[in-house]
Amino acid sequence: MWGLFPTHRELFRGIPMSSSVTGADAASAPSLSSATAVPRRRVIMASLVGTTIEFYDFYVYATAAVAVFPALFFTGQDETAKLLASMATFAAAFVARPIGSVIFGHYGDRIGRKATLIGALLTMGVATFLIGLLPTYYSIGLWAPLILTILRFCQGLGLGGEWSGAALLATEYAEEGKRARAAMWPQLGAPFGFILANGFFLVLTLVMGFVSVAEQGADHPFLTWGWRIPFLASVVMVVLGLWVRFRLEETPVFRQALEQGQKVKTPLTEVFRTSWLQIVQGTFIMLATYVLFYLMTAWILSYGIGKPENGGLGIPYREFLVLQLLAVLLFAAMVPVSGRLADKYGRRSSQLVITAAILGFGLLFGTLMDPAAVGTGEDVSLVRVLVFLAVGMTLMGLTFGSMSAILPELFPTNVRYTGSGVAYNASSILGAAITPYVAVYLNAEHGVGAVGLYLAFGAVLTLVALWFSPETKDVDMTSVGTRR
């Protein structure tokens, strides 16, 4: 499998570190290959470590939103209603993400990628740490879910600025013709963060002997203080991420744009004036990816561990976490495969095939995962559940891996941070914010087959967007102005 990963030298050969052009010579800025090469490992670490930390923070919340928060931050006897309320706070971050992309995109296109990425990391890190200190409903009443929602919103702001900046680091340093393979490094932050977050929860539940709220009640040590540890521990990872990013150089593509006087005063206004169509295309190109991912992570956890009388499978929490962690390894393995396919066959062609496969997968939800077919409680077929998760995560890696090349390539340099961020995070509202909530409702009212139809509908919209979008494999990343 390691042969699928491109080498540092292969990806970043001949990339500049700095330019000596100043003052009156700015108009005749040298080509990108004229400067000294930046340390390749530093670029990889800065893009990979940051997204890993950000996604870790995000997934820690996603896991707690299903297994912990309904019992501690929401009241009532209806378990489905409490889960829906928890999913609503989960969705708050997706509302914040486009706002974060606008705020951080403005500074990313105005002052540079490096400083903006540091700010995004701090925003997410502080919010996550504070969630670990938050009193529950039983201590401060309605203030608890209110503050939880605000902190979740701040998490969304941070991630809204993180992804596009990390993607730009990878693509703006990469050698032409190998951008998708270089761009896969920040994409690996998603499965790595998922493994760290859920692995942490798995270890905690094993050490503390926690199985579920239904079996052990809300006064179990895991629910009184153990769940806080993954949130508080994130501060260590944030310090590591800041150390890496403070040592980072600005990207050569952005430096050249500055030297040529191409910086714009209001990137948001400029991107909607010159590249509104690309924003629409990018939003719907990402849609199926988002729907698939949050079905296979947030919703499937609630479905897997949910009580059979409420439409779930009744799998013990720890057992289901193990299944998810095994499946997400395929997600990580497919990310570099996706980059190579996109560089070899083109972004559009490869994504059309992968999205068609996602459509087919959605149509099979009822056949593969209906409780009558897979079983419930002690009779559930864990092998069948694992196969379902493995197929979903394989498709997720294949569709997600090249997105950090596709979206930045749609936009010119002077609005690339804002444009790619807005498209990526606008899609998060349509494809991710409401997905776990809608899926819980659809499963409760119409069964798991309806959840699959929801995924299939998202895939159809993405196929239409891809069909009418250009191939961006050979786009010049140094171009400034309207993308043609």
Coordinates of all heavy atoms in Angstrom, one line a residue, residues 264-339:
V264 N -6.5 41.6 -3.7 CA -7.7 42.4 -3.8 C -8.2 42.8 -2.4 O -7.8 42.2 -1.4 CB -8.9 41.5 -4.4 CG1 -8.5 41.2 -5.9 CG2 -9.1 40.2 -3.7
K265 N -8.9 43.9 -2.4 CA -9.3 44.5 -1.1 C -10.4 43.7 -0.4 O -10.4 43.5 0.8 CB -9.8 45.9 -1.2 CG -8.7 46.9 -1.6 CD -9.2 48.3 -1.7 CE -8.1 49.3 -2.0 NZ -8.6 50.7 -2.1
T266 N -11.4 43.2 -1.2 CA -12.5 42.4 -0.6 C -12.6 41.1 -1.4 O -13.4 41.1 -2.4 CB -13.8 43.2 -0.7 OG1 -14.0 43.7 -2.0 CG2 -13.7 44.4 0.3
P267 N -11.9 40.1 -1.0 CA -12.0 38.8 -1.7 C -13.3 38.2 -1.9 O -13.7 37.6 -2.9 CB -11.1 37.9 -0.9 CG -10.2 38.8 -0.1 CD -11.0 40.0 0.1
L268 N -14.2 38.4 -0.9 CA -15.6 37.8 -1.0 C -16.3 38.5 -2.1 O -17.0 37.8 -2.9 CB -16.3 38.0 0.3 CG -17.7 37.4 0.4 CD1 -17.7 35.9 0.2 CD2 -18.4 37.8 1.7
T269 N -16.3 39.8 -2.2 CA -17.0 40.5 -3.3 C -16.4 40.1 -4.6 O -17.1 39.9 -5.6 CB -16.9 42.0 -3.1 OG1 -17.4 42.4 -1.8 CG2 -17.6 42.8 -4.2
E270 N -15.1 40.0 -4.7 CA -14.4 39.7 -5.9 C -14.7 38.3 -6.4 O -15.0 38.0 -7.6 CB -12.9 39.8 -5.8 CG -12.1 39.6 -7.0 CD -12.2 40.6 -8.1 OE1 -12.8 41.7 -7.8 OE2 -11.8 40.4 -9.2
V271 N -14.8 37.3 -5.5 CA -15.0 35.9 -5.9 C -16.4 35.7 -6.4 O -16.7 35.0 -7.3 CB -14.7 35.0 -4.7 CG1 -15.8 34.9 -3.7 CG2 -14.5 33.5 -5.3
F272 N -17.4 36.5 -5.8 CA -18.8 36.3 -6.3 C -19.0 37.1 -7.6 O -19.8 36.8 -8.4 CB -19.8 36.8 -5.2 CG -20.1 35.7 -4.2 CD1 -19.5 35.7 -3.0 CD2 -21.0 34.8 -4.6 CE1 -19.9 34.7 -2.1 CE2 -21.4 33.8 -3.7 CZ -20.8 33.7 -2.4
R273 N -18.1 38.1 -7.8 CA -18.2 38.9 -9.0 C -17.6 38.1 -10.2 O -18.2 38.1 -11.3 CB -17.5 40.2 -8.9 CG -17.6 41.2 -10.1 CD -16.9 42.5 -9.9 NE -15.4 42.2 -9.9 CZ -14.7 42.1 -11.1 NH1 -15.3 42.2 -12.3 NH2 -13.4 42.0 -11.0
T274 N -16.5 37.4 -10.0 CA -15.8 36.8 -11.1 C -15.9 35.3 -11.1 O -15.7 34.7 -12.2 CB -14.3 37.1 -10.9 OG1 -13.8 36.5 -9.7 CG2 -14.0 38.6 -10.9
S275 N -16.3 34.7 -10.0 CA -16.3 33.2 -10.0 C -17.5 32.6 -9.3 O -17.4 31.5 -8.7 CB -15.0 32.7 -9.2 OG -13.8 33.3 -9.8
W276 N -18.7 33.2 -9.4 CA -19.9 32.7 -8.8 C -20.2 31.3 -9.3 O -20.7 30.5 -8.6 CB -21.0 33.7 -9.0 CG -21.5 33.9 -10.4 CD1 -21.0 34.8 -11.2 CD2 -22.4 33.1 -11.1 NE1 -21.6 34.7 -12.5 CE2 -22.5 33.6 -12.4 CE3 -23.2 32.0 -10.8 CZ2 -23.3 33.1 -13.4 CZ3 -24.0 31.4 -11.7 CH2 -24.1 32.0 -13.0
L277 N -20.0 31.1 -10.6 CA -20.4 29.8 -11.2 C -19.5 28.7 -10.6 O -20.0 27.6 -10.3 CB -20.2 29.9 -12.7 CG -20.5 28.5 -13.5 CD1 -21.9 28.1 -13.2 CD2 -20.3 28.7 -15.0
Q278 N -18.2 29.0 -10.4 CA -17.3 28.0 -9.8 C -17.7 27.7 -8.4 O -17.5 26.6 -7.9 CB -15.9 28.5 -9.9 CG -15.3 28.5 -11.2 CD -15.7 29.7 -12.1 OE1 -16.4 30.6 -11.6 NE2 -15.3 29.7 -13.4
I279 N -18.3 28.7 -7.7 CA -18.7 28.4 -6.3 C -19.9 27.4 -6.3 O -19.9 26.5 -5.5 CB -19.1 29.7 -5.6 CG1 -17.9 30.6 -5.3 CG2 -19.9 29.4 -4.3 CD1 -18.2 31.9 -4.7
V280 N -20.8 27.7 -7.2 CA -22.0 26.7 -7.4 C -21.5 25.3 -7.8 O -21.9 24.3 -7.2 CB -23.0 27.3 -8.4 CG1 -24.1 26.3 -8.6 CG2 -23.6 28.6 -7.9
Q281 N -20.6 25.3 -8.7 CA -20.1 24.0 -9.2 C -19.4 23.3 -8.0 O -19.6 22.1 -7.8 CB -19.1 24.2 -10.3 CG -19.8 24.6 -11.6 CD -18.8 25.0 -12.7 OE1 -17.7 25.4 -12.4 NE2 -19.2 24.9 -14.0
G282 N -18.5 24.0 -7.3 CA -17.7 23.4 -6.2 C -18.6 22.9 -5.1 O -18.4 21.8 -4.5
T283 N -19.7 23.7 -4.8 CA -20.6 23.3 -3.7 C -21.3 21.9 -4.0 O -21.3 21.1 -3.2 CB -21.7 24.4 -3.6 OG1 -21.1 25.6 -3.2 CG2 -22.7 24.0 -2.6
F284 N -21.7 21.8 -5.3 CA -22.5 20.5 -5.6 C -21.5 19.4 -5.9 O -21.9 18.2 -5.8 CB -23.5 20.8 -6.7 CG -24.7 21.5 -6.2 CD1 -24.8 22.9 -6.3 CD2 -25.7 20.8 -5.6 CE1 -25.9 23.6 -5.8 CE2 -26.8 21.5 -5.1 CZ -26.9 22.9 -5.2
I285 N -20.3 19.7 -6.4 CA -19.3 18.6 -6.6 C -19.0 17.9 -5.2 O -18.8 16.7 -5.2 CB -18.0 19.2 -7.2 CG1 -18.3 19.5 -8.7 CG2 -16.8 18.2 -7.0 CD1 -17.1 20.2 -9.3
M286 N -19.0 18.7 -4.1 CA -18.7 18.1 -2.8 C -19.9 17.5 -2.1 O -19.8 16.8 -1.1 CB -18.2 19.3 -1.9 CG -16.7 19.5 -1.9 SD -15.7 18.1 -1.3 CE -16.4 17.9 0.3
L287 N -21.1 17.7 -2.7 CA -22.3 17.3 -2.0 C -22.4 15.8 -1.6 O -22.6 15.5 -0.4 CB -23.6 17.7 -2.8 CG -24.9 17.5 -2.1 CD1 -25.1 18.4 -0.9 CD2 -26.0 17.7 -3.1
A288 N -22.2 15.0 -2.6 CA -22.3 13.5 -2.3 C -21.2 13.1 -1.3 O -21.5 12.2 -0.5 CB -22.2 12.7 -3.6
T289 N -20.1 13.7 -1.4 CA -19.0 13.3 -0.5 C -19.4 13.6 1.0 O -19.2 12.8 1.9 CB -17.7 14.1 -0.8 OG1 -17.4 13.9 -2.2 CG2 -16.6 13.8 0.1
Y290 N -20.0 14.8 1.2 CA -20.4 15.1 2.5 C -21.6 14.2 3.0 O -21.5 13.8 4.2 CB -20.9 16.6 2.5 CG -19.9 17.6 3.0 CD1 -19.6 18.7 2.1 CD2 -19.3 17.5 4.2 CE1 -18.6 19.6 2.5 CE2 -18.3 18.4 4.6 CZ -18.0 19.5 3.8 OH -17.1 20.4 4.2
V291 N -22.6 14.0 2.2 CA -23.7 13.2 2.6 C -23.2 11.8 3.0 O -23.5 11.2 4.0 CB -24.8 13.1 1.5 CG1 -25.9 12.1 1.9 CG2 -25.4 14.4 1.3
L292 N -22.3 11.2 2.1 CA -21.8 9.9 2.4 C -21.0 9.8 3.7 O -21.2 8.9 4.5 CB -20.9 9.4 1.3 CG -20.1 8.1 1.4 CD1 -21.1 6.9 1.5 CD2 -19.2 7.9 0.3
F293 N -20.2 10.8 3.9 CA -19.3 10.8 5.1 C -20.1 10.9 6.4 O -19.8 10.1 7.3 CB -18.2 11.9 5.0 CG -17.2 11.8 6.1 CD1 -16.4 10.6 6.2 CD2 -17.1 12.7 7.1 CE1 -15.5 10.5 7.2 CE2 -16.2 12.6 8.1 CZ -15.4 11.5 8.2
Y294 N -21.0 11.8 6.5 CA -21.7 11.9 7.7 C -22.8 10.9 7.9 O -23.3 10.7 9.1 CB -22.2 13.4 7.8 CG -21.1 14.3 8.2 CD1 -20.4 14.9 7.2 CD2 -20.7 14.4 9.5 CE1 -19.3 15.7 7.5 CE2 -19.6 15.1 9.8 CZ -18.9 15.8 8.9 OH -17.8 16.5 9.2
L295 N -23.2 10.2 6.9 CA -24.0 9.0 7.1 C -23.1 7.8 7.7 O -23.5 7.1 8.6 CB -24.6 8.5 5.8 CG -25.8 9.3 5.2 CD1 -26.3 8.7 3.9 CD2 -26.9 9.4 6.3
M296 N -21.9 7.7 7.2 CA -21.0 6.6 7.6 C -20.3 6.9 8.9 O -19.6 6.0 9.4 CB -20.0 6.4 6.5 CG -20.6 6.0 5.1 SD -21.8 4.7 5.2 CE -20.8 3.3 5.8
T297 N -20.4 8.1 9.5 CA -19.7 8.4 10.7 C -20.8 8.7 11.8 O -21.0 8.0 12.8 CB -18.7 9.5 10.6 OG1 -19.4 10.6 10.0 CG2 -17.5 9.1 9.7
A298 N -21.4 9.8 11.7 CA -22.3 10.3 12.7 C -23.6 9.5 12.8 O -24.0 8.9 13.8 CB -22.6 11.8 12.6
W299 N -24.4 9.4 11.6 CA -25.7 8.7 11.7 C -25.5 7.2 11.9 O -26.3 6.6 12.7 CB -26.4 8.9 10.3 CG -27.6 8.0 10.3 CD1 -28.8 8.2 11.0 CD2 -27.7 6.7 9.6 NE1 -29.6 7.1 10.7 CE2 -29.0 6.2 9.9 CE3 -26.8 6.0 8.8 CZ2 -29.4 5.0 9.4 CZ3 -27.3 4.8 8.3 CH2 -28.5 4.3 8.5
I300 N -24.6 6.6 11.3 CA -24.4 5.1 11.4 C -24.1 4.7 12.8 O -24.5 3.6 13.3 CB -23.4 4.6 10.4 CG1 -23.5 3.0 10.2 CG2 -22.0 4.9 10.9 CD1 -24.8 2.6 9.6
L301 N -23.4 5.6 13.6 CA -23.2 5.3 15.0 C -24.5 5.2 15.8 O -24.7 4.3 16.6 CB -22.2 6.3 15.6 CG -21.9 6.1 17.1 CD1 -21.3 4.8 17.4 CD2 -21.0 7.2 17.5
S302 N -25.4 6.2 15.5 CA -26.6 6.3 16.2 C -27.5 5.1 15.8 O -28.2 4.5 16.6 CB -27.4 7.6 15.9 OG -27.8 7.7 14.6
Y303 N -27.4 4.7 14.5 CA -28.2 3.6 14.0 C -27.7 2.2 14.6 O -28.5 1.4 15.0 CB -28.2 3.6 12.5 CG -28.9 2.4 11.9 CD1 -30.3 2.3 11.9 CD2 -28.2 1.4 11.2 CE1 -31.0 1.3 11.3 CE2 -28.9 0.4 10.5 CZ -30.3 0.3 10.6 OH -31.0 -0.7 10.1
G304 N -26.4 2.1 14.6 CA -25.8 0.9 15.1 C -26.0 0.6 16.5 O -26.3 -0.5 16.9
I305 N -25.9 1.6 17.4 CA -26.0 1.4 18.8 C -27.4 1.7 19.3 O -27.7 1.5 20.5 CB -25.0 2.2 19.6 CG1 -25.3 3.7 19.6 CG2 -23.6 2.0 19.1 CD1 -24.4 4.6 20.4
G306 N -28.3 2.2 18.5 CA -29.7 2.5 18.9 C -30.5 1.3 19.3 O -30.2 0.1 18.8
K307 N -31.4 1.5 20.1 CA -32.3 0.4 20.6 C -33.1 -0.2 19.4 O -33.6 0.6 18.6 CB -33.2 0.8 21.7 CG -32.5 1.2 22.9 CD -33.5 1.7 24.0 CE -32.8 2.2 25.2 NZ -33.7 2.7 26.2
P308 N -33.3 -1.5 19.3 CA -34.1 -2.1 18.2 C -35.5 -1.5 18.2 O -36.1 -1.3 17.1 CB -34.1 -3.6 18.5 CG -32.8 -3.8 19.2 CD -32.6 -2.6 20.1
E309 N -36.1 -1.3 19.4 CA -37.5 -0.7 19.4 C -37.5 0.7 18.8 O -38.6 1.2 18.5 CB -38.0 -0.7 20.8 CG -37.2 0.0 21.9 CD -36.2 -0.9 22.6 OE1 -35.7 -1.9 21.9 OE2 -36.0 -0.6 23.8
N310 N -36.4 1.4 18.8 CA -36.3 2.7 18.2 C -35.8 2.7 16.7 O -35.5 3.8 16.2 CB -35.5 3.6 19.0 CG -36.1 3.9 20.4 OD1 -37.3 3.9 20.5 ND2 -35.2 4.1 21.4
G311 N -35.7 1.5 16.1 CA -35.2 1.4 14.8 C -33.8 1.2 14.6 O -33.3 1.2 13.5
G312 N -33.0 1.0 15.7 CA -31.6 0.7 15.6 C -31.3 -0.8 15.6 O -32.1 -1.6 15.6
L313 N -29.9 -1.1 15.6 CA -29.5 -2.5 15.6 C -29.1 -3.0 16.9 O -29.0 -4.3 17.1 CB -28.3 -2.6 14.6 CG -28.5 -2.2 13.2 CD1 -27.2 -2.4 12.4 CD2 -29.6 -3.0 12.5
G314 N -29.0 -2.2 17.9 CA -28.7 -2.7 19.3 C -27.3 -3.2 19.5 O -27.1 -4.1 20.3
I315 N -26.3 -2.8 18.7 CA -24.9 -3.2 18.9 C -24.3 -2.5 20.0 O -24.4 -1.3 20.1 CB -24.1 -3.0 17.6 CG1 -24.8 -3.7 16.4 CG2 -22.7 -3.5 17.7 CD1 -24.2 -3.4 15.1
P316 N -23.6 -3.2 20.9 CA -22.9 -2.5 22.0 C -22.0 -1.4 21.5 O -21.3 -1.6 20.4 CB -22.1 -3.6 22.7 CG -22.9 -4.8 22.5 CD -23.5 -4.6 21.1
Y317 N -21.9 -0.3 22.2 CA -21.1 0.9 21.7 C -19.7 0.5 21.4 O -19.2 0.9 20.3 CB -21.2 1.9 22.9 CG -20.3 3.2 22.6 CD1 -20.5 4.0 21.5 CD2 -19.3 3.6 23.5 CE1 -19.8 5.1 21.3 CE2 -18.6 4.7 23.3 CZ -18.8 5.5 22.2 OH -18.0 6.6 21.9
R318 N -19.0 -0.2 22.3 CA -17.6 -0.5 22.0 C -17.4 -1.4 20.8 O -16.5 -1.2 20.0 CB -17.0 -1.2 23.2 CG -16.7 -0.3 24.4 CD -15.6 -0.8 25.3 NE -15.9 -2.2 25.8 CZ -16.5 -2.4 27.0 NH1 -16.7 -1.4 27.8 NH2 -16.7 -3.6 27.4
E319 N -18.3 -2.3 20.6 CA -18.2 -3.2 19.4 C -18.3 -2.4 18.2 O -17.6 -2.7 17.2 CB -19.2 -4.3 19.5 CG -18.9 -5.4 20.6 CD -19.9 -6.5 20.5 OE1 -20.6 -6.7 19.5 OE2 -20.1 -7.2 21.5
F320 N -19.3 -1.5 18.2 CA -19.5 -0.7 17.0 C -18.3 0.2 16.7 O -18.0 0.4 15.5 CB -20.8 0.1 17.1 CG -21.3 0.6 15.7 CD1 -22.0 -0.3 14.9 CD2 -21.0 1.8 15.2 CE1 -22.4 0.1 13.7 CE2 -21.4 2.3 14.0 CZ -22.1 1.4 13.2
L321 N -17.7 0.8 17.7 CA -16.5 1.6 17.5 C -15.4 0.8 16.8 O -14.7 1.4 16.0 CB -16.1 2.2 18.8 CG -16.7 3.5 19.3 CD1 -16.0 4.0 20.6 CD2 -16.6 4.6 18.2
V322 N -15.2 -0.4 17.2 CA -14.2 -1.2 16.6 C -14.5 -1.4 15.2 O -13.6 -1.3 14.3 CB -14.1 -2.6 17.4 CG1 -13.2 -3.6 16.6 CG2 -13.6 -2.4 18.8
L323 N -15.7 -1.7 14.8 CA -16.1 -1.9 13.4 C -15.8 -0.6 12.6 O -15.3 -0.6 11.5 CB -17.6 -2.2 13.3 CG -18.0 -3.5 13.9 CD1 -19.5 -3.7 13.7 CD2 -17.3 -4.7 13.3
Q324 N -16.2 0.6 13.2 CA -15.9 1.8 12.5 C -14.4 2.1 12.3 O -14.0 2.5 11.2 CB -16.5 3.0 13.3 CG -18.0 3.2 13.0 CD -18.4 4.6 13.5 OE1 -18.3 4.9 14.6 NE2 -19.0 5.4 12.6
L325 N -13.6 1.8 13.3 CA -12.2 2.0 13.2 C -11.5 1.1 12.2 O -10.6 1.5 11.5 CB -11.5 1.8 14.6 CG -11.8 2.9 15.6 CD1 -11.3 2.5 17.0 CD2 -11.2 4.2 15.2
L326 N -12.0 -0.1 12.1 CA -11.5 -1.0 11.0 C -11.9 -0.5 9.6 O -11.0 -0.5 8.7 CB -12.1 -2.4 11.2 CG -11.6 -3.2 12.4 CD1 -12.3 -4.5 12.6 CD2 -10.1 -3.5 12.3
A327 N -13.1 0.0 9.5 CA -13.5 0.4 8.2 C -12.8 1.7 7.8 O -12.5 1.9 6.6 CB -15.1 0.6 8.2
V328 N -12.5 2.6 8.7 CA -11.9 3.9 8.4 C -10.5 3.7 7.9 O -10.0 4.6 7.2 CB -12.0 4.8 9.6 CG1 -10.9 4.6 10.5 CG2 -12.0 6.3 9.1
L329 N -9.9 2.6 8.2 CA -8.6 2.3 7.6 C -8.6 2.2 6.1 O -7.7 2.6 5.4 CB -8.0 1.0 8.2 CG -7.7 1.0 9.7 CD1 -7.3 -0.4 10.1 CD2 -6.6 2.0 10.0
L330 N -9.7 1.7 5.5 CA -9.9 1.7 4.1 C -10.1 3.1 3.5 O -9.7 3.4 2.4 CB -11.1 0.8 3.7 CG -10.9 -0.7 3.9 CD1 -12.2 -1.4 3.8 CD2 -9.9 -1.2 3.0
F331 N -10.7 4.0 4.3 CA -10.9 5.4 4.0 C -9.5 6.0 3.8 O -9.2 6.6 2.7 CB -11.6 6.1 5.1 CG -11.8 7.6 4.9 CD1 -11.5 8.3 3.7 CD2 -12.3 8.4 5.9 CE1 -11.7 9.6 3.6 CE2 -12.5 9.7 5.8 CZ -12.2 10.4 4.6
A332 N -8.6 5.8 4.8 CA -7.2 6.3 4.7 C -6.5 5.7 3.5 O -5.7 6.4 2.8 CB -6.5 6.1 6.0
A333 N -6.6 4.4 3.3 CA -5.9 3.8 2.2 C -6.3 4.3 0.8 O -5.5 4.3 -0.1 CB -6.1 2.3 2.3
M334 N -7.6 4.6 0.7 CA -8.1 5.0 -0.7 C -7.8 6.5 -1.0 O -7.9 6.9 -2.1 CB -9.6 4.8 -0.7 CG -10.0 3.3 -0.8 SD -9.3 2.4 -2.2 CE -8.1 1.4 -1.3
V335 N -7.4 7.3 0.0 CA -7.1 8.7 -0.3 C -6.0 8.9 -1.3 O -6.1 9.6 -2.3 CB -6.9 9.5 1.0 CG1 -6.2 10.9 0.8 CG2 -8.2 9.7 1.8
P336 N -4.8 8.2 -1.1 CA -3.8 8.4 -2.1 C -4.1 7.7 -3.4 O -3.7 8.2 -4.5 CB -2.6 7.6 -1.5 CG -3.1 6.8 -0.4 CD -4.4 7.5 0.1
V337 N -5.0 6.7 -3.4 CA -5.4 6.1 -4.7 C -6.2 7.1 -5.5 O -6.1 7.3 -6.7 CB -6.3 4.8 -4.4 CG1 -6.9 4.3 -5.7 CG2 -5.4 3.8 -3.7
S338 N -7.1 7.8 -4.7 CA -7.9 8.9 -5.4 C -7.0 10.0 -6.0 O -7.3 10.4 -7.2 CB -8.8 9.5 -4.3 OG -9.5 10.6 -4.9
G339 N -5.9 10.4 -5.4 CA -5.0 11.4 -5.9 C -4.4 10.9 -7.2 O -4.3 11.6 -8.2

